[in-house]
């Protein structure tokens, strides 16, 4: 399996995070990539540096205003009096009645949905290269590979067409899905990150050519709180092509795997030409974000099930946070997917 990783993504190592009124160290640290890459090393998989994708590939899912903001925000922010080292919004647009502002402070509140995705000096470079990994993995599958993996940092599935949030910048998963659409009439996305893939849902919500399915901790008590409920099934042409499976935070292997099986049945009925898998590993029982109780064996079996579905598959890395178990979580899933499991 071809695996893509860009060392420049390590340059994004954010500091700021606001949790329950306290300023804490951000969870999306560069150390995550080292732990994930160690998993690839254990599997004997080479990490390939991707070529630079065209900006058009990003513009398939993101607005030009948003891309320009990501590219220029940090330098503009530094010109503010007493500017901090990272772009962190202190005001948010009420979009029901709002005008796009000229001020960088206002644009931060327009294009950033919360305070957990601060923009630093190298965030644009890192997020650009993360998207390059997603495009390269999609291109490998379009060229005939059965599957390919993109080790993306920062993650992407919480980012919509024009808003970053939840540790995410560009939506790498949506970029990969859109790339697959260039050769397939229909593409399915399956998100097994412990958080709802709200950005991916928003991007494709009114489309019937990209089915979106997310299996995640119930947003009644877990991020992103406002979206990810079962009644969200799409709109317009996309009606019936979005499915959410909110699960209790106490969920263990059997219930989780049964839900994946249900999702795969729905995907089979849709008959897509390819699958984009948003691989979050933060459902693991020892992940610090405490979303679910999935074991390594659960990840291995999930990998087996998704591979057995038989679709050309792009695997895009999403969450999975700092824990000594993160490496083994990736190894477990990949061993199952590649048929190396016991």
């Amino acid at each position: 399996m071809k695996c893509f990783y860009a060392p420049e993504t390590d340059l994004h190592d954010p500091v700021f995070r606001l949790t329950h009124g306290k300023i804490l160290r951000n969870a999306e640290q560069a150390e995550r990539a080292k732990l994930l890459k160690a998993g690839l090393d254990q599997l004997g998989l080479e990490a390939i540096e991707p070529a630079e994708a065209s900006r058009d590939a990003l513009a398939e899912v993101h607005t030009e205003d948003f891309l320009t903001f990501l590219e220029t925000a940090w330098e503009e922010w530094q010109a503010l009096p007493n500017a901090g080292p990272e772009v962190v919004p202190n005001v948010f647009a009420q979009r029901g009645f709002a005008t796009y502002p000229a001020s960088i402070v206002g644009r931060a509140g327009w294009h950033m949905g919360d305070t957990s995705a601060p923009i630093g000096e190298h965030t644009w470079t890192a997020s650009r290269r993360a998207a390059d990994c997603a495009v390269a993995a999609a291109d490998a599958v379009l060229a005939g590979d059965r599957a390919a993996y993109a080790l993306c940092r920062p993650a992407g599935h919480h980012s919509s067409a024009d808003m970053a949030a939840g540790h995410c910048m560009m939506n790498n998963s949506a970029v990969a899905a859109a790339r697959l659409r260039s050769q397939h009439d229909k593409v399915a996305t399956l998100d097994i990150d412990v958080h709802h893939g709200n950005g991916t849902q928003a991007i494709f919500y009114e489309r019937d050519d990209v089915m979106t399915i997310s299996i995640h901790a119930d947003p009644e008590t877990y991020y992103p709180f406002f979206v990810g409920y079962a009644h969200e099934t799409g709109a317009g042409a996309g009606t019936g092509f979005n499915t959410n499976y909110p699960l209790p935070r106490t969920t263990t292997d059997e219930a989780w795997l049964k839900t994946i099986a249900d999702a795969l049945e729905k995907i089979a009925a849709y008959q897509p030409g390819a699958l984009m898998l948003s691989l979050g590993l933060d459902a693991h029982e020892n992940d610090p974000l405490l979303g679910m109780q999935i074991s390594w064996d659960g990840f291995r079996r999930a990998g087996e099930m998704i591979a057995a579905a038989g679709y050309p598959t792009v695997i895009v890395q999403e969450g999975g946070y700092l824990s000594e178990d993160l490496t083994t979580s990736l190894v477990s899933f990949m061993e199952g997917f590649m048929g190396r499991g016991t």
Side-chain angles (χ1 to χ4, degrees):
M1 182 192 300
K2 290 189 179 73
C3 301
F4 297 91
Y5 161 71
E8 298 95 328
T9 61
D10 292 355
L11 297 172
H12 176 71
D13 198 17
V15 175
F16 186 89
R17 184 183 182 191
L18 186 65
T19 302
H20 303 161
K22 291 185 177 181
I23 297 175
L24 303 175
R25 179 70 164 89
N26 198 283
E28 172 60 298
Q29 298 176 32
E31 183 68 19
R32 291 184 62 236
K34 295 179 182 178
L35 295 169
L36 293 164
K37 191 170 181 302
L40 297 183
D41 292 342
Q42 285 188 29
L43 292 160
L45 296 172
E46 178 188 3
I48 304 166
E49 292 189 32
E52 182 175 320
S54 72
R55 195 178 180 99
D56 288 346
L58 315 179
E60 285 290 323
V61 300
H62 289 299
T63 67
E64 184 56 37
D65 280 344
F66 179 67
L67 294 175
T68 299
F69 169 77
L70 287 182
E71 185 174 14
T72 62
W74 186 82
E75 288 188 1
E76 290 190 57
W77 193 264
Q78 294 310 301
L80 293 171
N82 301 312
E86 296 176 315
V87 180
V88 180
N90 57 279
V91 62
F92 294 93
Q94 303 301 309
R95 287 191 175 215
F97 185 77
T99 298
Y100 191 72
S103 164
I104 183 58
V105 176
R107 280 182 285 128
W110 186 282
H111 290 299
M112 302 174 77
D114 54 43
T115 61
S116 66
I119 295 173
E121 181 177 5
H122 304 294
T123 296
W124 167 251
T125 297
S127 56
R128 184 73 170 79
R129 293 295 282 150
D132 291 342
C133 290
V135 171
D139 284 348
V141 169
L142 291 173
D145 287 13
R146 169 177 172 263
Y149 169 72
L151 200 173
C152 297
R153 270 201 70 257
H157 72 149
H158 293 310
S159 292
S160 64
D162 67 348
M163 184 183 293
H167 307 312
C168 298
M169 295 298 167
M170 274 186 275
N171 193 319
N172 309 304
S173 288
V175 167
R179 192 73 165 190
L180 290 173
R181 267 287 293 113
S182 68
Q183 291 185 26
H184 295 285
D185 291 337
K186 295 191 294 186
V187 170
T189 75
L190 176 60
D191 190 327
I192 63 172
D193 188 281
V194 81
H195 302 93
H196 175 241
N198 58 303
T200 310
Q201 171 176 301
I203 288 168
F204 297 117
Y205 201 64
E206 297 185 7
R207 292 172 56 169
D208 60 3
D209 59 337
V210 180
M211 171 177 274
T212 49
I213 299 180
S214 180
I215 301 168
H216 51 270
D218 194 329
E220 283 195 352
T221 60
Y222 204 64
Y223 189 91
F225 299 108
F226 311 110
V227 65
Y229 295 88
H231 66 261
E232 300 158 13
T233 59
T239 299
F241 295 99
N242 184 83
T243 303
N244 290 323
Y245 293 96
L247 301 176
R249 292 173 67 176
T250 54
T251 297
T252 53
D253 289 358
E254 295 309 318
W256 189 65
L257 293 167
K258 180 182 183 304
T259 307
I260 291 175
D262 289 347
L264 290 172
E265 287 184 9
K266 185 174 284 289
I267 290 170
Y270 180 64
Q271 297 183 318
L275 174 68
M276 190 289 303
L277 176 69
S278 290
L279 178 63
L281 299 168
D282 40 6
H284 188 262
E285 58 193 343
N286 292 334
D287 189 273
L289 299 192
L290 304 174
M292 285 189 196
Q293 301 293 314
I294 308 307
S295 71
W296 289 326
D297 185 60
F299 280 131
R300 179 187 60 77
R301 291 165 64 191
E304 290 176 347
M305 292 168 61
I306 294 166
Y311 304 106
T313 302
V314 176
I315 303 170
V316 177
Q317 185 64 51
E318 295 288 354
Y321 295 94
L322 292 183
S323 162
E324 61 185 14
D325 298 324
L326 180 57
T327 298
T328 308
S329 292
L330 179 61
V331 170
S332 298
F333 178 86
M334 287 297 199
E335 284 184 337
F337 188 88
M338 295 188 297
R340 299 184 188 177
T342 57

